Each structure stands twice: as C-alpha cells, then as structure tokens.
Amino acid sequence: MSTHETALDQSPLSHGESKALVVEGGAMRGIFAAGVLDAFLEHNYRPFLRAYGVSAGATNLIGYLAGDHGRSRKIITGHACQPDFIDWRRFARGGHLCDVCWLWQQSFTDVPLNLENYLSGTTELWVTTTSARTGEAHYFHLDESNMHDVLTASCAIPIAYRDYPLVNGEPMTDGGVADAIPVIKAYEDGARDITVVLSRPPGYRKKPPRFAFVPRRLFRAYPALAEASLSRAERYNTTLSFIENPPQDCIIRVIVPPAEFAVGRLTQNQELLEQGYQEGHRAGLIYLDEMT
C-alpha cells in the first residue's frame, strides 16, 4: 500500500503508548460510529494516543476528541438529511449528489465544535484522503490550519461530489478509495492495541467493479485514480483479513454493526438512522463492559 504522510515529525508510538482507534467511513452509515463514540464519551473513555479516520469516520472522531457528545448524531440526522446535502435533481443537472463542502461548512457554523478540547488533548487525529493524481493514500495530522480542507477532501465521494478539493495544492478525493480502514497504517505507526469501528455488518466483503471500463471512463482525467478504484475491493478485503488475523504482537478489538443493520450510504429515513445510532450506542456500551 503506497502511502504519504503529512506532518513535520511522526515518531512511532512507544511501548505503553500503543493504543489506537480506527473509525471507518461510509457516509450515513457513520451513524453507527456516532453512537459508539457517544457511549465512550459518557464514560470518559479516551485512552488512545492516536486516532485514524476516513470520511464520516474522521468527522465522527473530531466530535469525539472535542468532547462534543451528540454532535455527530445531530449533524447526520439533521444537516445530512437536508436537500442541500443530498439532491438527486441537482445531480441530474450536473451538480453534486452529496455536497460535502456545504455539509461540513454549514454544520461547523450551526453545531458547536469545542476545537480547543481537541487541540489541547493527548490524542492525535490522522485523516486519510486519496490523491486524484496518484491514487495513493495521504495521511494528515489534523490541526486548526488544515481541518476544513482535509475533512472536506476525505468525505468527497467520487462522482457524487464532482470536485476534487485541494489539500496543499493537490487534488484529493474520498480517503476510502485508497485506505478505507487505516488499521494497517496504525500498526505500521507502532500501535499494538487497536480498536476498530466498522460500518458494515460481520462477514461483509467488498465486490470488485463488474466493468473495468466504467471507472476508467469516469476518471479519465485521473487514470491512477481509476486504477485505485478498480483495486479498491482487493485492498479493502485484505484489510479485513488483517483485522481478523492480526500479527502476534498486536491485539485488534472490533466494534461492528449487527447483521440486521439497515442504514445505507445515502439513508435519510429518520427511524432507521435513530435505530442505527442506538445500535452503535449499545455496541459501545458492550465494548466498555468487556474492557472493565
């Protein structure tokens, strides 16, 4: 897996400081992680030295690390259910299906984020994006100067968001294309006790695209991104195998939605979203009970 790191200095985690939290994205499926992380906040459970997030996983994590209980739930069930975010008619006219720039900026304005709590905290947040130019994963240590650009880019679902947000002058897209669950990255950074919050039920495996010409045509301006899209399922499934069979020197704890989890990438049904949140909250409480 080709990677790029964006930080002045990223030293490996030392022994005894090896706890990491990894949260998968998945657009509206992020409601599950919102429930898990709210359960963590209710019990003041924040033992992690580093957290790694992708797309909705990253926006969930910034709320968690800022100590803002309920923030992600409010955004997903509120702002993300407005036509300003998901609009099929706008998409048919050549606009965004999912306007992630609007969602991030408007929710940042409307729903308070205690950014100082994150900036003064002990947990680093690393956010994944995918370079449209190279198709490779980039990992950014989130801070006040890059937060808006990086989080927008990490959430920019290809095609559904028609632009490629610039980060440090480089066009970026959804981090899930190159590294949807950056648990191997966490391990390579030195983490040996890793908690992973997934957004798909147990046993899920991603299927490769049926027709290779489709992404190659859609991403013809960025051929490396097209190839990354074609190999996405293989990388994703390799990561799941790593989670299921970690190295002998590593413990991986997995929090996963139930088999009947009914929230999809674009679900806006309030009843299903609330059910998904409660399922995440229960899963978080079960995890905490097992840890004590």
Side-chain angles (χ1 to χ4, degrees):
M1 183 181 296
S2 297
T3 62
H4 291 271
E5 297 171 6
T6 303
L8 294 177
D9 177 29
Q10 186 187 19
S11 56
L13 297 173
S14 62
H15 183 69
E17 296 183 343
S18 64
K19 288 183 181 291
L21 174 63
V22 177
V23 181
E24 184 181 10
M28 304 300 276
R29 290 198 304 270
I31 195 66
F32 177 80
V36 171
L37 297 177
D38 275 355
F40 285 7
L41 284 175
E42 290 162 14
H43 291 265
N44 195 30
Y45 186 75
R46 288 188 275 188
F48 309 104
L49 267 292
R50 286 192 185 138
Y52 299 80
V54 182
S55 188
T59 55
N60 266 315
L61 278 169
I62 191 63
Y64 165 65
L65 296 176
D68 291 323
H69 182 279
R71 184 178 191 273
S72 294
R73 179 190 194 182
K74 185 174 183 178
I75 291 169
I76 295 171
T77 61
H79 289 73
C81 290
Q82 296 181 25
D84 299 270
F85 177 49
I86 299 177
D87 188 336
W88 287 97
R89 288 178 295 182
R90 179 179 62 205
F91 185 62
R93 296 193 300 267
H96 304 303
L97 173 59
C98 302
D99 191 343
V100 295
C101 183
W102 174 87
L103 179 62
W104 170 254
Q105 294 291 345
Q106 196 62 45
S107 61
F108 185 80
T109 299
D110 295 344
V111 188
L113 177 69
N114 194 337
L115 187 58
E116 184 55 38
N117 267 3
Y118 164 65
L119 295 174
S120 62
T122 58
T123 306
E124 297 178 357
L125 174 54
W126 288 80
V127 177
T128 309
T129 67
T130 301
S131 167
R133 184 178 55 82
T134 68
E136 297 178 343
H138 286 236
Y139 305 93
F140 293 89
H141 180 204
L142 204 72
D143 59 32
E144 195 169 11
S145 67
N146 67 14
M147 177 177 66
H148 298 292
D149 291 342
V150 170
L151 287 173
T152 299
S154 185
C155 295
I157 304 168
I159 307 304
Y161 188 73
R162 296 190 185 270
D163 294 337
Y164 295 92
L166 296 178
V167 181
N168 296 339
E170 177 140 6
M172 296 288 186
T173 191
D174 178 8
V177 175
D179 192 2
I181 314 167
V183 62
I184 296 174
K185 170 63 175 168
Y187 178 80
E188 290 173 345
D189 286 348
R192 293 298 180 266
D193 187 339
I194 306 172
T195 297
V196 181
V197 182
L198 298 178
S199 63
R200 296 280 196 177
Y204 173 78
R205 286 294 187 275
K206 188 175 289 294
K207 297 179 180 179
R210 292 182 61 188
F211 304 106
F213 74 86
V214 174
R216 286 177 177 145
R217 179 174 297 174
L218 291 173
F219 304 127
R220 56 186 175 274
Y222 293 105
L225 180 61
E227 297 309 310
S229 178
L230 287 170
S231 58
R232 180 179 186 176
E234 181 182 357
R235 286 193 305 277
Y236 187 91
N237 295 337
T238 296
T239 299
L240 290 178
S241 296
F242 181 90
I243 290 170
E244 294 166 356
N245 300 282
Q248 291 186 350
D249 64 343
C250 181
I251 297 172
I252 297 181
R253 313 171 196 275
V254 184
I255 304 175
V256 62
E260 64 275 12
F261 187 62
V263 179
R265 180 178 288 271
L266 300 181
T267 297
Q268 293 183 299
N269 180 289
Q270 290 290 317
E271 184 177 341
L272 292 180
L273 290 172
E274 180 60 23
Q275 177 181 311
Y277 174 84
Q278 295 300 336
E279 288 168 338
H281 191 263
R282 283 194 296 273
L285 292 177
I286 291 170
Y287 169 92
L288 291 171
D289 186 60
E290 293 174 348
M291 293 297 289
T292 58

